[in-house]
Amino acid sequence: NCIASAITSRDFLVPLMYLYLVVLYVYIAKVLITWQWPKSDVTDWIVGFSVVGVFAYFMIHSTKEPFLRYVEFFKKWFFVLILPLLVVLFATVGMEIQKQGVIETNYFMMAYGVWLLILAVYFSLTKARNLKFIPVTFFVILLVSTYGPQSAFGVSQKFQMDRLEKVLVENNILVNGKV
């Protein structure tokens, strides 16, 4: 069963990942040439690509069967090739934060980007490449971003309240902490 899923990943998913990666890199090249920064939709494309890519990596990495060269290349270089996409992800989310402030969506995109960066650094620089690292780090990021004052909801609420207070003070509606 594991070999069947690996063959499916090899025969279908990996070539599809290459195609999608080329599309994303061409899009980034267009951005650099025209210097028109992408809309926030690009974050969805990068997240979708990376989710499927991490899943494919997980499925391929766990089998011991020798693969074709393009699959071995994917196993070796996926996390390195995702680094430029992370730069675009962080920049785009940063621009959204400047426009909208810290809202939950931006927070979760940034948290996902941090998780993916951690994975990319780990799998690019270490020889161990322990697959347990993927779910463990995901769980830690999930806990940090959903519970406590540093959670997406806590940070967003504080940021939005600070913005509201600033607007009220600027318009002389809030003076010395009173309306």
Side-chain angles (χ1 to χ4, degrees):
N1 193 15
C2 186
I3 291 174
S5 63
I7 290 170
T8 303
S9 299
R10 179 189 70 208
D11 294 341
F12 175 72
L13 195 53
V14 173
L16 189 61
M17 295 301 299
Y18 281 128
L19 179 64
Y20 202 93
L21 184 66
V22 167
V23 168
L24 286 172
Y25 269 88
V26 167
Y27 186 75
I28 291 170
K30 176 190 164 271
V31 166
L32 293 175
I33 291 168
T34 63
W35 206 247
Q36 291 181 329
W37 204 255
K39 297 179 181 178
S40 62
D41 292 347
V42 75
T43 58
D44 297 337
W45 304 339
I46 293 169
V47 168
F49 169 77
S50 61
V51 165
V52 174
V54 169
F55 176 73
Y57 182 87
F58 194 83
M59 294 300 294
I60 291 167
H61 191 276
S62 62
T63 62
K64 302 297 181 205
E65 164 186 327
F67 288 120
L68 300 172
R69 279 191 210 181
Y70 68 88
V71 176
E72 292 300 325
F73 182 85
F74 180 84
K75 283 172 58 175
K76 185 174 182 179
W77 294 102
F78 170 72
F79 287 106
V80 173
L81 291 171
I82 210 162
L83 289 171
L85 300 178
L86 287 175
V87 171
V88 173
L89 177 82
F90 286 130
T92 306
V93 173
M95 287 183 221
E96 289 297 312
I97 289 172
Q98 284 181 335
K99 282 193 279 184
Q100 304 172 332
V102 179
I103 59 174
E104 289 88 356
T105 305
N106 295 337
Y107 183 99
F108 283 123
M109 284 291 188
M110 195 63 79
Y112 178 79
V114 168
W115 175 68
L116 203 54
L117 180 61
I118 291 168
L119 289 182
V121 168
Y122 173 78
F123 283 104
S124 298
L125 298 179
T126 64
K127 296 288 183 195
R129 298 186 178 192
N130 187 345
L131 290 181
K132 292 177 187 174
F133 191 77
I134 294 172
V136 168
T137 54
F138 184 76
F139 182 71
V140 168
I141 293 288
L142 189 63
L143 278 178
V144 167
S145 63
T146 54
Y147 295 105
Q150 78 291 337
S151 71
F153 311 106
V155 171
S156 178
Q157 181 181 17
K158 175 153 179 33
F159 188 86
Q160 298 302 328
M161 291 300 288
D162 290 348
R163 277 181 64 183
L164 176 62
E165 184 177 318
K166 181 181 173 188
V167 169
L168 293 176
V169 168
E170 287 174 356
N171 291 301
N172 295 321
I173 296 172
L174 185 66
V175 179
N176 296 327
K178 296 191 181 212
V179 178

